[in-house]
Amino acid sequence: MSDLCWLTDVQMAKRAPFFPKSHGKPRGDDNRVLSRIIFINRNGLRWRDASGEYGPRKTPVKYDKRRFKRRNRIEIMFGRLRGWGCVATRHNRCPKVFISAIALAATVICWL
């Protein structure tokens, strides 16, 4: 296994425009997370096998349990939409026609 991989300030400045916005919550240390990702990919490791110097292996993310349980409705809907050939293969290249086909298929699947 090789040494730890840390990105320099210049390298981080080049990648800063591609990071997600913070949406009211303070962002963590981007350098630590990105350096860990590069380290595990370069060495073929699992996330939990990286050195502890990159920080904790878990970051507790709060989520709405009720919404998480109901996510299957969306997944089922996409599964049913794939049964409609024109929607699944996107034969209609015009965005307005394509979105209309999705709306029609969703209406038929859900309410008829």
Side-chain angles (χ1 to χ4, degrees), residues 76-89 105 109:
I76 290 170
M77 183 65 185
F78 278 112
R80 289 180 181 166
L81 282 174
R82 284 192 349 221
W84 288 63
C86 67
V87 174
T89 58
I109 290 170

Side-chain angles (χ1 to χ4, degrees), residues 10-75:
V10 175
Q11 292 171 327
M12 286 301 294
K14 287 181 182 178
R15 288 156 182 81
F18 302 107
F19 294 146
K21 305 234 182 304
S22 65
H23 300 296
K25 297 179 182 176
R27 291 193 50 82
D29 186 8
D30 292 326
N31 189 1
R32 179 180 55 86
V33 174
L34 192 57
S35 295
R36 185 178 190 144
I37 291 171
I38 292 170
F39 180 76
I40 63 169
N41 285 329
R42 186 178 66 184
N43 294 308
L45 300 173
R46 295 178 296 182
W47 183 261
R48 64 181 173 185
D49 292 337
S51 174
E53 293 186 33
Y54 288 117
R57 67 180 181 132
K58 289 190 175 186
T59 54
V61 177
K62 294 183 180 179
Y63 65 95
D64 187 2
K65 290 184 180 180
R66 186 181 56 143
R67 283 188 183 174
F68 186 75
K69 285 183 179 180
R70 296 174 67 192
R71 78 190 183 285
N72 67 337
R73 293 181 181 182
I74 302 297
E75 294 171 2

Side-chain angles (χ1 to χ4, degrees), residues 1-13:
M1 197 178 324
S2 64
D3 297 328
L4 298 177
C5 170
W6 291 103
L7 296 176
T8 64
D9 292 335
V10 175
Q11 292 171 327
M12 286 301 294

